[in-house]
Amino acid sequence: MGIPTVGISIVREYSEKVRPPRTVFLKWPFGHPLGEPFREDQHFAVLAQAFNALEAIQKPGEIWDLPFRWRRQQYLPPAWKSP
Amino acid sequence: MGLMTRWKNRILASLGSRYPAFARWLSSGYDPLSLEETPWAPVDFRVSEARLALVTTAGVHHRSQKPFDMNDPDGDPEFREINGAAIADDYTITHDYYDHRDADRDLNVVFPLERLRAMVQAGVVGGVTGLHYSFMGHIDGRHIDTLVRQTAPDVAERLQRAGADAVLFTPG
């Protein structure tokens, strides 16, 4: 039995061809799969979506297009960070 | 590969990071390995109960480890084992094919181990393994076979020995 995986992609065409089991895609610059340096809430937002995809995707090769608009997106702190 | 070629790769990488449309144009000329059938391991747990490992292709490694081969135009199919306890204070990135200046400043941009630890602390992730794995994502030509037949299966076995319930892949 293998280990379940989920991947972050920033080149959708590659993921469509390689067809890894579960993918979240971001139309973001190379070198920034989690976002910008020191933007914790942005990183947590991407990770939360990746883990949602890990739990939810049932169809091998499925790609979720995440709606985050790079710097124009407002990234709220995750609920678990609230006091 | 000569110094001039390495400079050219770095300049293209820098332009690609600054101008995503240019990066897409660059990457459109590359034909990656295409799989007909996707390997599948089902998830029968919640992430809040799972121990996660990271595998990156961002060229991260410890400073004492041999840098990835930047002289071979087909890249480098080998991997580096990352000690999760030490990587935050002891890392460098060898990868000429993307602009890693932001990842040099904050490793979480490509290898979010510190963020995963915060999620473990909060109880939204079950745990993280002690060991993680890193490739340099430019792997082409004859090295694809080495990756598929040798180094990727080796990493999969090591991940199982490390107790990983699931793996998050991050690119550079």
Side-chain angles (χ1 to χ4, degrees), chain B residues 18 59 64 76 89 109 121 144 152 163:
Chain B
R18 196 171 305 171
S64 58
D76 186 340
D89 298 319
V109 167
Q121 197 87 32
I144 291 176

Side-chain angles (χ1 to χ4, degrees), chain B residues 105-127:
Chain B
R105 292 167 58 212
D106 179 5
L107 182 60
N108 290 289
V109 167
V110 294
F111 190 81
L113 187 56
E114 202 183 339
R115 303 291 177 253
L116 284 186
R117 289 221 178 90
M119 295 173 94
V120 172
Q121 197 87 32
V124 294
V125 169

Side-chain angles (χ1 to χ4, degrees), chain B residues 9 22 74 76 103-104 115 118 129 140 172:
Chain B
N9 288 337
F22 178 70
D74 284 341
D76 186 340
D104 292 335
R115 303 291 177 253
T129 54
D140 206 355

Side-chain angles (χ1 to χ4, degrees), chain A residues 6 17 19 22 32 38 55, chain B residues 31 38 41 47 102 106 169:
Chain A
V6 60
K17 277 215 145 184
R19 289 178 49 82
R22 306 167 188 83
H32 299 79
F38 309 111
E55 289 181 349
Chain B
D31 193 24
T38 296
V47 169
D102 280 346
D106 179 5
F169 281 87

Side-chain angles (χ1 to χ4, degrees), chain A residues 38-55:
Chain A
F38 309 111
R39 292 207 50 190
E40 280 190 24
D41 292 337
Q42 187 185 38
H43 304 169
F44 287 134
V46 174
L47 289 171
Q49 289 298 319
F51 297 148
N52 286 343
L54 179 65
E55 289 181 349

